């Protein structure tokens, strides 16, 4: 991305002030990585939420069920000399002046890191209806805990990753659960039909009703009305229809945003403006490995990207970012993991019976592994991830034999 700004002139780091906006996984990890990599300048982490920075994956799992009180990161910010400014929303940025605008006045930076994550998409018209919930923040999870504890009848809108995880927790809590999904199957945007189809049965096995081809027409207190006229009683409604980058505050800043309103970063995670980086759910980057721009809304990306940002801020050993994306999901008693990135044209090779408890799917491009989905087969995932990284040609015959380790497919 030659048009991206190349302002990497070494400046004595002790005099520099790095300000990170967004105190979620990517923001916290950037601050920590700066210190781990020896940055001696000032580091300030500004977050809109009032809570001590916390991890999101437990929100749809242990926190929701009350098995964990919270999920605060185990980071000693004081010992690392990281200044935390919580409960402070940043409302704008003026890159030419190296200045942020916030609810409590302007703030200067030498280097800025954008890590504002994503915000859940709301179901239009439901904003003010009582009993309609989202699941993104600790506050959301805390609002939902008593709903589960009271074993209310719940309608989940959207059979994606969050919808499936929430439905799992709600069933475990003893709630009656109906999941309404506009597409013809779960995870329609994420996985091909033949792979997602076996997952539909998981809902029924767990005692949740999955209604596909079902569009929400209207939500009213106590019920969800579908476009086929069905009225589904709902003690609570949980909307899980996706998330979009939290970048509204960048409008007018001159920082380039992409088609999904994400911050467009280059392969060193620099934005279009000097001294401004972007990382995590709020951004996209060009993947050299996959030959396309990726916007990854998963935890591992918010863990790995910050190391690249920190290295490039310090500037002694500049780094490019070209990960094999990875994520996991815990749903209906199954551990689902995915590594890589595949396209419709890639060759699908099954390992095991998708009706069974554990199976995997591999995607090959010119005999090389580009993606692997593992259900209850963590070893396939671990080996597959390495095989994707190495890019060695594989024997599809061996891959299709689930009794043999995936790594045995190396020719
Ligand atoms: C319920 C749930 C479960 C998940 N489970 C999994 C899982 O099992 N596996 C997996 O791989 N991924 C999972 N994810 C995704 C993963 O948590 C995210 O990819 C990760 O949190 C992204 O980190 P981030 O720091 O980029 O963004 P976020 O975690 O969204 O953090 C961004 C922070 O920036 C703050 N902010 C936003 N705007 C401003 C502003 N203008 N000023 C100041 N602060 C601002 C926000 O308040 C937020 O705290 C889950 C996500 C959720 C919501």
């Amino acid at each position: 991305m030659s048009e991206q700004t190349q302002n990497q002139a070494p400046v004595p780091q002790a005099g520099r002030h790095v300000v990170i906006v967004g105190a979620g996984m990517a923001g916290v990890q950037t601050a920590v990585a700066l210190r781990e990599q020896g940055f001696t300048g000032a580091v300030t982490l500004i977050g809109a939420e009032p809570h001590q920075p916390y991890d999101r994956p437990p929100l749809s799992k242990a926190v929701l069920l009350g098995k964990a009180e919270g999920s605060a990161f185990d980071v000693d910010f004081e010992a690392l000399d990281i200044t935390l400014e919580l409960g402070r929303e940043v409302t704008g940025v003026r890159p030419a002046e190296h200045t942020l605008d916030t609810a409590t006045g302007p703030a200067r930076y030498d280097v800025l890191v954008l890590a504002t994550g994503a915000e859940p998409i709301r179901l239009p018209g439901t904003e003010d209806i009582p009993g309609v919930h989202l699941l993104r923040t600790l506050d959301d999870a805390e609002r939902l805990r008593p709903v589960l504890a009271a074993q209310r009848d719940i309608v989940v809108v959207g059979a994606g990753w969050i919808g499936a995880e929430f439905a799992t927790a709600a069933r475990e809590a003893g709630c009656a659960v109906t999941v309404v999904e506009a597409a013809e199957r779960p995870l329609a945007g994420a996985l091909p039909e033949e792979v997602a189809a076996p997952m539909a049965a998981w809902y029924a096995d767990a005692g949740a009703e999955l209604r596909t081809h079902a569009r929400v027409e209207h939500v009213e207190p106590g019920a969800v009305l579908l476009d086929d006229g069905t009225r589904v009683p709902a003690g609570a409604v949980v909307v899980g229809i996706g998330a979009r980058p939290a970048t509204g505050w960048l409008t007018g800043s001159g920082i380039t945003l992409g088609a999904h309103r994400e911050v467009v970063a280059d392969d060193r995670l620099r934005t279009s403006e000097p001294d401004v980086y972007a990382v995590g759910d709020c951004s996209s980057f060009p993947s050299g490995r996959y030959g396309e721009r990726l916007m990854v809304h998963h935890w591992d990306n918010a863990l790995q990207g910050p190391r690249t940002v920190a290295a490039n801020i310090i500037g002694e050993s500049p780094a490019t970012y070209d990960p094999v994306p990875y994520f996991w999901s815990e749903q209906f008693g199954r551990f689902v993991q995915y590594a890589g990135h595949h396209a419709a044209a890639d060759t699908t090779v099954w390992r095991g019976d998708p009706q069974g408890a554990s199976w995997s799917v591999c995607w090959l491009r010119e005999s090389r592994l580009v993606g692997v989905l593992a259900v209850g087969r963590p070893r396939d995932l671990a080996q597959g991830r390495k095989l994707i990284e190495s890019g060695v040609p594989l024997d599809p015959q061996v891959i299709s034999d689930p009794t043999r380790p995936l790594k045995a497919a190396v020719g």
Side-chain angles (χ1 to χ4, degrees):
M1 298 237 328
S2 55
E3 78 278 15
Q4 296 281 328
T5 305
Q6 310 293 310
N7 191 338
Q8 292 293 323
V11 178
Q13 53 165 293
R16 285 199 295 169
H17 184 188
V18 178
V19 176
I20 302 160
V21 184
M25 182 71 182
V28 167
Q29 289 300 328
T30 302
V32 170
L34 280 165
R35 291 298 184 228
E36 280 176 356
Q37 294 180 29
F39 183 74
T40 56
V43 177
T44 300
L45 188 55
I46 305 180
E49 294 181 68
H51 308 291
Q52 196 64 12
Y54 62 88
D55 207 9
R56 278 177 216 284
L59 299 185
S60 52
K61 306 170 183 81
V63 173
L64 201 52
L65 285 165
K67 292 180 182 170
E69 266 315 305
S71 56
F73 292 116
D74 186 15
V75 174
D76 188 340
F77 293 100
E78 205 178 320
L80 290 170
D81 194 18
I82 295 165
T83 304
L84 277 185
E85 296 187 0
L86 302 174
R88 186 179 192 191
E89 185 175 356
V90 178
T91 52
V93 54
R94 288 173 273 146
E97 295 155 52
H98 280 59
T99 299
L100 292 169
D101 293 310
T102 83
T104 50
R108 286 239 348 131
Y109 65 82
D110 296 310
V111 179
L112 176 65
V113 181
L114 311 176
T116 48
E119 51 205 9
I121 298 171
R122 292 169 184 276
L123 201 57
T126 62
E127 289 81 357
D128 299 322
I129 297 177
V132 178
H133 298 259
L134 300 165
L135 180 50
R136 179 80 198 180
T137 65
L138 184 56
D139 289 342
D140 292 336
E142 282 179 354
R143 275 188 287 267
L144 279 162
R145 261 155 77 152
V147 172
L148 263 59
Q151 299 188 323
R152 311 284 288 275
D153 291 358
I154 297 177
V155 173
V156 180
V157 182
W161 301 112
I162 295 285
E165 292 204 352
F166 179 81
T168 302
R171 283 300 300 139
E172 196 174 324
C175 303
V177 177
T178 305
V179 181
V180 296
E181 167 58 55
E184 76 288 2
R185 62 191 146 100
L187 292 166
L191 293 174
E193 183 175 3
E194 56 176 336
V195 178
M199 297 177 171
W202 299 355
Y203 287 76
D205 292 348
E209 186 184 354
L210 172 65
R211 300 180 75 124
T212 53
H213 295 289
R215 277 188 181 280
V216 175
E217 186 81 26
H218 179 68
V219 178
E220 59 188 33
V224 172
L225 295 133
L226 304 180
D227 61 354
D228 65 359
T230 314
R231 189 171 185 279
V232 188
V237 178
V238 176
V239 179
I241 55 174
R244 58 169 71 103
T247 56
W249 65 285
L250 294 171
T251 303
S253 68
I255 294 171
T256 303
L257 302 182
H260 303 281
R261 304 284 300 160
E262 87 284 9
V263 183
V264 173
D266 71 1
D267 62 354
R268 291 195 197 171
L269 302 183
R270 297 171 298 195
T271 72
S272 58
E273 289 293 327
D275 302 318
V276 183
Y277 294 77
V279 66
D281 281 12
C282 71
S283 61
S284 68
F285 58 91
S287 166
R289 185 183 299 279
Y290 294 104
E292 61 183 288
R293 179 164 284 279
L294 298 183
M295 184 174 79
V296 180
H297 279 187
H298 296 300
W299 186 90
D300 191 62
N301 181 54
L303 171 70
Q304 309 289 348
R307 295 177 190 152
T308 302
V309 172
N312 290 324
I313 289 173
I314 294 168
E316 280 162 15
S317 40
T320 54
Y321 189 56
D322 198 8
V324 172
Y326 165 73
F327 71 87
W328 81 96
S329 172
E330 293 160 49
Q331 46 180 282
F332 306 115
R334 291 165 175 88
F335 190 43
V336 181
Q337 297 167 285
Y338 180 93
H341 177 71
H342 72 272
D346 296 324
T347 306
T348 308
V349 183
W350 287 85
R351 277 169 71 72
D353 176 5
Q355 308 309 323
S358 59
W359 45 274
S360 299
V361 183
C362 293
W363 285 274
L364 298 179
R365 193 176 299 170
E366 292 167 4
S367 302
R368 289 166 172 81
L369 193 64
V370 290
V372 56
L373 175 87
V375 177
R377 289 180 67 99
R379 207 168 287 169
D380 279 1
L381 193 288
Q383 293 180 12
R385 203 172 176 181
K386 287 189 188 138
L387 292 170
I388 295 170
E389 264 159 22
S390 68
V392 291
L394 301 177
D395 179 348
Q397 287 281 16
V398 178
I399 294 178
S400 66
D401 180 352
T403 65
R404 300 186 65 184
L406 200 48
K407 62 184 179 190
V410 178

